[in-house]
Amino acid sequence: MSTCECFLHPHLLLCIKMVLLSILTTYFYSMAEARQPLWRKIPIPSSRINPYRIVIVLRLIILCFFFRFRILTPAYDAYALWLISVICEVWFGLSWILDQFPKWNPIERETYLDRLSMRFEREGEPNRLGPVDVFVSTVDPLKEPPIITANTVLSILSVDYPVDKVSCYVSDDGASMLLFDSLAETAEFARRWVPFCKKHNIEPRAPEFYFTQKIDYLKDKVHPNFVKERRAMKVSRTNFQIVSFAYFYN
């Protein structure tokens, strides 16, 4: 018998061994779980995909008959125009065929964010998740209202990811001062919206969609201050909308 066992009660020693075994089992299970794939393919039922495949085949047959008719009936009085139109139609037809390849056999994936966290966010180690840059493009504030762009930016900034590793860039080809002023207000509102989303695990994270949901927002929200904070956030969102629309109509 070892010196350690001489001074420990047998039952206490058994408890220590069980605790150590449980810790080691949990550790190795976590390591094994982290090594699992981060996603898997979900098979699509034939009843869902086959009707669309039939439509693709019918369209392809009609397209072949159309090209046969166009090629066999040239317009000799305007041959150059006929040739150019046929070349353009063939080009668009080939583009459509190439576009159907991914739709013929679409892929649905199920992701496992918990495994991603186990693999790159281990306790006691530096966070090894890679930085993410998201680009949002817009061109015309009249066709794309700034409030829509603002909601897109807010949903990106509040994603479940380390704050220091997410960057959002807005490219405005129209160089609109209206959008610039709206984004300045968006950045100010994001200082309150992003912590609120992360604290209460809000979904969806675009305020325009979140506050228009007709669901019980108290479900699974056990934080005692949630109702008060949500009301304050709703007021802030209303003020943000008013300012954004004021920029738009001025």
Side-chain angles (χ1 to χ4, degrees):
M1 183 178 293
S2 64
T3 306
C4 182
E5 290 179 347
C6 292
F7 291 96
L8 292 177
H9 192 278
H11 294 291
L12 180 60
L13 183 62
L14 180 62
C15 291
I16 294 174
K17 289 180 178 179
M18 293 296 293
V19 170
L20 291 175
L21 180 61
S22 176
I23 294 174
L24 290 174
T25 302
T26 304
Y27 173 77
F28 285 114
Y29 174 78
S30 299
M31 293 294 291
E33 184 71 14
R35 294 192 188 97
Q36 295 295 319
L38 301 179
W39 57 272
R40 72 177 181 91
K41 291 183 180 180
I42 302 177
I44 301 176
S46 301
S47 58
R48 284 179 55 193
I49 191 63
N50 283 341
Y52 187 74
R53 289 174 177 172
I54 294 173
V55 173
I56 292 177
V57 173
L58 291 176
R59 288 177 176 175
L60 185 60
I61 294 173
I62 295 172
L63 188 65
C64 291
F65 278 109
F66 172 76
F67 284 146
R68 181 178 181 275
F69 168 77
R70 290 286 286 146
I71 293 173
L72 296 180
T73 55
Y76 293 105
D77 54 341
Y79 191 82
L81 293 176
W82 169 84
L83 183 61
I84 293 173
S85 65
V86 169
I87 292 174
C88 293
E89 288 164 357
V90 170
W91 172 256
F92 285 123
L94 291 176
S95 300
W96 176 81
I97 292 173
L98 293 175
D99 185 57
Q100 300 311 304
F101 282 115
K103 297 178 181 179
W104 183 269
N105 190 24
I107 298 175
E108 289 188 2
R109 292 184 174 91
E110 180 181 10
T111 57
Y112 303 102
L113 298 181
D114 53 339
R115 295 176 182 175
L116 179 69
S117 180
M118 289 180 186
R119 186 177 299 183
F120 298 105
E121 293 183 301
R122 296 175 183 172
E123 188 175 354
E125 297 181 9
N127 191 306
R128 296 187 292 119
L129 287 170
V132 177
D133 294 333
V134 183
F135 289 83
V136 178
S137 61
T138 183
V139 62
D140 188 352
L142 298 178
K143 296 180 180 179
E144 302 172 289
I147 191 67
I148 296 179
T149 306
N151 275 272
T152 303
V153 172
L154 289 169
S155 62
I156 293 170
L157 295 178
S158 57
V159 295
D160 186 12
Y161 207 77
V163 179
D164 57 332
K165 296 193 175 186
V166 176
S167 300
C168 180
Y169 301 89
V170 179
S171 173
D172 180 16
D173 295 340
S176 169
M177 286 302 299
L178 171 63
L179 181 63
F180 179 81
D181 293 335
S182 178
L183 289 177
E185 294 295 330
T186 302
E188 187 64 27
F189 178 67
R191 298 178 185 274
R192 300 185 295 274
W193 175 251
V194 173
F196 174 73
C197 289
K198 292 181 178 293
K199 180 179 180 180
H200 301 290
N201 195 25
I202 298 300
E203 292 292 345
R205 301 199 172 186
E208 190 71 18
F209 297 100
Y210 172 71
F211 286 109
T212 55
Q213 290 185 116
K214 298 185 181 299
I215 61 174
D216 183 12
Y217 60 86
L218 292 176
K219 185 179 180 181
D220 300 328
K221 304 296 183 184
V222 295
H223 198 280
N225 295 328
F226 173 70
V227 177
K228 181 179 179 181
E229 292 181 16
R230 186 183 185 278
R231 288 174 180 169
M233 187 56 59
K234 193 171 184 179
V235 172
S236 298
R237 172 250 185 181
T238 304
N239 294 335
F240 166 67
Q241 281 185 316
I242 292 172
V243 174
S244 298
F245 282 120
Y247 285 131
F248 183 77
Y249 287 108
N250 286 339

